[in-house]
Amino acid sequence: MSSISKYLWPEDILLDIDVANKAQLFNEIGRHMEREHAMSQEWLVAALSRREQLGSTGLGEGVAIPHARVEGLAQAQIAYLRLKTPIPFDAPDAKPVSDFLVILVPKQATEEHLQILADTTQLFSDSKFRERLHSCRHAMEVKSLIESHT
């Protein structure tokens, strides 16, 4: 799972985010990535929305992995957002989602993109990991927990 911790930095771990729907969530992600990484908020929101229209990135059990390919991105960029209140996200189990691991990869993404998605799915499928994740109160706790599962 080192592919996740390799690209997830404490400044990209956002806890107790207050949004009511997908549109607000994608705007929050876009604002954050523009502020922290000089990515275009408008473009990123559109890319995440387009990907979501192809099919929900909700995994179930309150987890989703919105992802997009980003022109000009040199390497993968990951962000984790935990919401104050779960939102509907068209997950296969129809449960609302509170945990989002956002994966942004270069336009010409390689095998690493698929590895990150596989690692994410495996990690968030572990109910004990999700429980421990929800007990984390600070970004560094989240980062350490993910690193300890790699």
Side-chain angles (χ1 to χ4, degrees), residues 111-122:
E111 184 74 24
E112 191 165 30
H113 173 217
L114 299 176
Q115 188 61 52
I116 293 169
L117 287 171
D119 289 351
T120 300
T121 302
Q122 182 181 359

Side-chain angles (χ1 to χ4, degrees), residues 137-148:
R137 295 291 161 233
H138 304 285
M140 283 307 300
E141 288 178 89
V142 172
K143 174 79 171 157
S144 294
L145 177 63
I146 289 173
E147 285 176 345
S148 72

Side-chain angles (χ1 to χ4, degrees), residues 53-126:
Q53 288 172 355
L54 296 174
S56 176
T57 57
L59 296 179
E61 297 300 327
V63 177
I65 50 170
H67 53 280
R69 294 178 186 267
V70 179
E71 188 78 45
L73 191 62
Q75 67 177 21
Q77 182 70 50
I78 296 178
Y80 169 73
L81 290 86
R82 183 173 65 209
L83 306 185
K84 280 185 183 179
T85 306
I87 60 172
F89 210 79
D90 301 319
D93 62 4
K95 291 181 182 178
V97 174
S98 62
D99 294 296
F100 295 87
L101 196 77
V102 181
I103 303 170
L104 306 173
V105 296
K107 189 74 168 171
Q108 302 303 319
T110 61
E111 184 74 24
E112 191 165 30
H113 173 217
L114 299 176
Q115 188 61 52
I116 293 169
L117 287 171
D119 289 351
T120 300
T121 302
Q122 182 181 359
L123 183 62
F124 281 87
S125 294
D126 181 343

Side-chain angles (χ1 to χ4, degrees), residues 18-69:
D18 194 13
V19 298
N21 54 46
K22 281 183 194 181
Q24 288 180 4
L25 173 70
F26 290 164
N27 276 314
E28 184 67 30
I29 293 166
R31 272 192 300 277
H32 172 77
M33 297 310 265
E34 185 172 75
R35 183 177 58 249
E36 293 293 326
H37 303 286
M39 293 181 195
S40 165
Q41 175 185 349
E42 184 179 325
W43 189 93
L44 194 53
V45 168
L48 290 169
S49 297
R50 275 192 309 274
R51 170 56 192 88
E52 205 62 34
Q53 288 172 355
L54 296 174
S56 176
T57 57
L59 296 179
E61 297 300 327
V63 177
I65 50 170
H67 53 280
R69 294 178 186 267

